[in-house]
Amino acid sequence: MALKNIFYYLCGIVFLALAKLKNVLMGYSSPKPFDVSEAEKCIDYDIGVVDHWLRQLADYTKGEYSIVGKSVLELGPGSDLGIGLYLVSKGCSQYNACDVNNLVATVPESFYDKFLARLAATSAEVDIPALAEQLKNARTGQPSKLRYVVRDDFNIVSAFGRSSIDLVFSQAAFEHFDDIEATVSQLSEVCKPGAVLVIEIDLMTHSRWIREKDPNNIYRYPGYIYNMFWFRGIPNRVRPLQYKAAFERFGWTDITITPLRKIEDREQAYSGMAKDFTDGESQMEYLTVMLCARKQ
Ligand SMILES: C[S@@+](CC[C@H](N)C(=O)[O-])C[C@H]1O[C@@H](n2cnc3c(N)ncnc32)[C@H](O)[C@@H]1O
């Protein structure tokens, strides 16, 4: 085990250095492990993510929540507006999204044509021309049911206003945010009382090869080493119970954290971790989690 830990410790340093170098040379890169030019895969991904959120929402609210007529906020939407299109096609009155990186600017129109064709093929009830109009408005900066905001300060209160949101979704984005306390505090302001939040958080190492071999690799390093490789968007290493504490502090209740992916062998999950991640509170066996909560 000791040799294995040394091996992964050294490998991880190389991956952290490469990630930093890539960020310096190319900026924040496409979050999907495939390019939007692979349109059908991206469409499958977006639809899969929303369907998964909706199943989690139904479980959390015991089927008593409808998204129809709701104002939705997605944080860190990634590389295209497919998720917004799909949510509006399902009856959300407004889709809002906020990011610090403008990743959707370069999406070709043909991607959305394919997305709309998929929606037309899978549901006769969707008003495709109306949806296309909303998309066109969004892409030309006109008022639209699809509102995509890029703000370097990630200030969602300034972006969307107080008490304007019924439902919050996010996928594999919270682990990139600079300041979880500030984001949760602002979420409490933009959400209406009773608003529901469904977010999936990817706690794993993000670099591709090492992610599958050593999913907890980023937790092997003390803060002073990890911070040497810091760039905006590097995983923040916030653990599930720290998210829970932040949501509790800012007025959220009924907080559930469900592990979606785990390391079954607890000893393996903790082996070689830096001191900050060795107590049971760190829940190092959790690799990805779904956090649901309700605003008081
Ligand atoms: C891994 S991507 C996930 C994107 C999308 N939800 C998906 O599942 O494909 C992370 C998202 O968080 C955003 N992000 C990265 N760093 C951020 C930061 N410091 N503050 C806010 N958003 C950030 C990225 O621009 C991107 O949209």
Side-chain angles (χ1 to χ4, degrees):
M1 193 64 101
L3 264 183
K4 200 171 161 189
N5 282 335
I6 293 169
F7 172 73
Y8 280 125
Y9 187 98
L10 295 174
C11 281
I13 293 281
V14 174
F15 278 95
L16 285 173
L18 288 175
K20 166 105 186 168
L21 185 67
K22 189 172 161 206
N23 186 268
V24 169
L25 296 177
M26 297 158 68
Y28 192 86
S29 55
S30 172
K32 287 201 175 86
F34 40 83
D35 196 78
V36 276
S37 56
E38 292 181 75
E40 296 302 332
K41 263 193 189 174
C42 291
I43 295 168
D44 289 343
Y45 178 87
D46 288 346
I47 290 178
V49 165
V50 174
D51 288 346
H52 182 56
W53 288 339
L54 296 182
R55 282 194 300 274
Q56 295 289 329
L57 179 67
D59 282 354
Y60 180 68
T61 59
K62 307 207 170 22
E64 284 168 13
Y65 195 97
S66 163
I67 63 166
V68 175
K70 297 295 193 314
S71 177
V72 175
L73 170 62
E74 183 184 5
L75 294 183
S79 57
D80 59 77
L81 292 176
I83 281 186
L85 262 187
Y86 189 44
L87 283 169
V88 171
S89 83
K90 285 184 162 292
C92 289
S93 60
Q94 180 71 43
Y95 168 81
N96 306 288
C98 190
D99 210 322
V100 296
N101 302 301
N102 188 348
L103 301 173
V104 313
T106 55
V107 178
E109 211 168 322
S110 60
F111 170 77
Y112 294 115
D113 292 343
K114 287 186 180 128
F115 210 115
L116 292 169
R118 174 80 73 89
L119 294 179
T122 47
S123 171
E125 286 150 35
V126 180
D127 184 345
I128 299 294
L131 210 49
E133 181 73 17
Q134 294 300 329
L135 181 65
K136 186 174 147 223
N137 289 346
R139 281 165 64 83
T140 53
Q142 306 300 312
S144 166
K145 287 185 175 186
L146 296 156
R147 190 157 169 229
Y148 175 73
V149 175
V150 178
R151 287 184 71 109
D152 190 55
D153 63 4
F154 205 52
N155 190 324
I156 51 179
V157 179
S158 301
F160 306 111
R162 293 191 160 76
S163 279
S164 57
I165 302 295
D166 300 296
L167 186 54
V168 180
F169 288 126
S170 186
Q171 182 74 18
F174 264 70
E175 71 274 13
H176 297 283
F177 296 167
D178 304 325
D179 184 344
I180 292 301
E181 295 268 323
T183 301
V184 175
S185 155
Q186 289 186 19
L187 269 178
S188 301
E189 290 191 56
V190 296
C191 285
K192 298 175 188 171
V196 177
L197 170 134
V198 176
I199 58 173
E200 182 168 334
I201 308 167
D202 180 353
L203 304 164
M204 296 164 68
T205 299
H206 279 40
S207 297
R208 296 209 186 129
W209 176 83
I210 204 158
R211 178 177 166 84
E212 294 309 320
K213 307 271 179 216
D214 187 32
N216 278 340
N217 185 273
I218 51 172
Y219 304 96
R220 291 183 177 276
Y221 310 99
Y224 76 92
I225 293 189
Y226 192 68
N227 293 340
M228 282 184 211
F229 300 98
W230 185 88
F231 57 88
R232 196 172 198 198
I234 191 174
N236 54 30
R237 306 200 300 175
V238 174
R239 297 302 300 173
L241 291 179
Q242 294 173 299
Y243 285 105
K244 184 166 188 263
F247 277 101
E248 279 170 349
R249 203 167 304 132
F250 291 103
W252 294 75
T253 57
D254 305 331
I255 301 167
T256 62
I257 295 177
T258 312
L260 301 175
R261 192 169 166 189
K262 278 175 85 174
I263 298 180
E264 292 307 331
D265 180 348
R266 204 181 130 80
E267 198 186 324
Q268 187 197 336
Y270 280 89
S271 177
M273 295 297 99
K275 206 159 155 271
D276 286 350
F277 305 103
T278 48
D279 64 15
E281 294 270 287
S282 298
Q283 298 176 305
M284 296 312 297
E285 59 276 41
Y286 289 9
L287 298 181
T288 61
V289 294
M290 183 62 76
L291 188 153
C292 299
R294 197 184 291 275
K295 174 79 177 46
Q296 271 174 337

